[in-house]
Amino acid sequence: MTELRRFKQVDVFTDTPLCGNPLAVVIDADGLSEPQMQAIARWTNLSETTFVLPPTDPGADYQLRIFSPGGELPFAGHPTLGTAHAMLETGFRPKNADRLIQQCGVGNVAISLARKGWLAFHAPAAEIVAVNESYYPLLAQAVGKSTAFGFCPPVVVDMGIRWLLVRVDSVEACLTAMPDRDSLASLLTRCEANGLTLYSRHRPTGPADYEIRAFVVENGQLVEDPVTGSANACLARLLQAQGFPDDPVFAGSYQVRQGTALKRHGRISLEFINGEPWIGGQSVTLIDGHLHL
């Protein structure tokens, strides 16, 4: 018998349709098996598809499972905000008027509803590990010679998902970088990282404070992610741990631009509240209907 399950496809970290990072959301996922969830994620062929389930933790509003075409993730940023947007659009009411609590693989993640039209998630705790210097030649081969090893050495930041963060010398270097697929795949394996994030500081008069790009190697292909919540959360934790090396004022807030090289218009807002980073942005819905399963 065919079942109808509510389904949305939303664009995350943008207020302009087709300019952010797309996400598929299955709102009525209760009763779906893990193989079914994985099959749906392969079918949508987006970076992530989320499945909303009743919470098992009494403090949470719902439970979220996040699947890429290749497997399940314990946490990811744009799926967190995109799913919250989709749920609120259905009329879902969280237990607290100003905050939604998502249960996922890294535990409970708080999502602020305080700013109208914007959502922001509290960045999970992170472990920061320096990259072994013996990997630097491979890193230079994978990324290019514009890496700023001396100023801010490359690190792996583990937030359930593990990003290799590499600072480059300029925004131009960031935007023109073309990582070598094979070298990057080898580097990520050695660093036990899921992907690579390049970042650079904009000039004070620029369109944002930082430019970032995020890359993964999936099924032997180099893939650039348009706008990446978890990478931005990892960067926020890193900058905080470094004492905000570019400008102490960033301890309050800063802005990130991502997706430029893909002709996207990703905008991410970082705000530190009581010393804790919150990663925020807007979302828009492009598809609203049902899956026939």
Side-chain angles (χ1 to χ4, degrees):
M1 178 182 293
T2 299
E3 290 186 280
L4 296 181
R5 296 181 183 270
R6 286 181 295 172
F7 174 87
K8 290 178 181 281
Q9 189 161 314
V10 301
D11 220 3
V12 186
F13 287 120
T14 185
D15 60 355
T16 307
L18 308 178
C19 289
N21 197 355
L23 171 76
V25 183
V26 180
I27 293 169
D28 302 312
D30 196 20
L32 288 175
S33 67
E34 188 170 307
Q36 285 177 305
M37 294 181 192
Q38 186 63 75
I40 294 169
R42 284 196 299 267
W43 175 77
T44 66
N45 201 33
L46 297 176
S47 58
E48 284 96 15
T49 299
T50 63
F51 300 86
V52 182
L53 300 161
T56 59
D57 185 323
D61 290 295
Y62 55 75
Q63 179 182 177
L64 193 68
R65 296 188 68 176
I66 306 167
F67 284 79
S68 74
E72 187 169 9
L73 300 172
F75 171 75
H78 101 276
T80 293
L81 292 192
T83 302
H85 165 84
M87 289 295 289
L88 293 169
E89 199 174 56
T90 69
F92 177 81
R93 291 192 173 187
K95 296 171 183 176
N96 298 295
D98 64 342
R99 190 161 296 187
L100 189 155
I101 304 297
Q102 168 190 291
Q103 178 187 352
C104 62
V106 295
N108 287 350
V109 175
I111 301 163
S112 172
L113 313 178
R115 187 175 171 188
K116 187 174 181 180
W118 287 70
L119 299 173
F121 68 86
H122 178 215
E127 180 184 5
I128 301 172
V129 180
V131 172
N132 191 308
E133 290 188 14
S134 67
Y135 298 160
Y136 281 16
L138 181 59
L139 177 55
Q141 182 178 342
V143 177
K145 297 181 179 180
S146 59
T147 51
F149 292 162
F151 178 52
C152 293
V155 298
V156 173
V157 182
D158 186 350
M159 193 176 281
I161 186 170
R162 293 170 58 89
W163 285 101
L164 169 60
L165 268 60
V166 177
R167 181 163 182 144
V168 293
D169 291 333
S170 67
V171 171
E172 180 183 7
C174 186
L175 291 176
T176 58
M178 185 55 66
D180 178 76
R181 180 198 62 190
D182 294 339
S183 300
L184 179 58
S186 178
L187 177 66
L188 294 177
T189 298
R190 294 189 193 189
C191 293
E192 298 182 333
N194 297 100
L196 165 72
T197 297
L198 304 178
Y199 69 100
S200 184
R201 170 81 164 101
H202 271 281
R203 294 189 180 121
T205 57
D209 297 304
Y210 288 95
E211 186 81 31
I212 85 164
R213 295 175 72 190
F215 298 89
V216 296
V217 178
E218 292 181 343
N219 299 318
Q221 300 296 315
L222 179 68
V223 178
E224 181 171 357
D225 195 56
V227 202
T228 319
S230 60
N232 276 282
C234 287
L235 179 59
R237 288 290 188 187
L238 174 62
L239 294 175
Q240 183 180 41
Q242 294 172 334
F244 301 97
D246 293 298
D247 193 331
V249 74
F250 291 164
S253 65
Y254 65 86
Q255 305 294 315
V256 175
R257 186 176 77 168
Q258 189 180 356
T260 311
L262 297 176
K263 301 189 184 302
R264 306 290 178 92
H265 190 267
R267 294 294 185 271
I268 305 96
S269 175
L270 282 293
E271 185 175 6
F272 291 82
I273 302 173
N274 298 322
E276 288 295 306
W278 292 76
I279 291 76
Q282 296 172 282
S283 298
V284 291
T285 299
L286 275 70
I287 299 173
D288 190 351
H290 294 84
L291 286 178
H292 296 246
L293 297 175

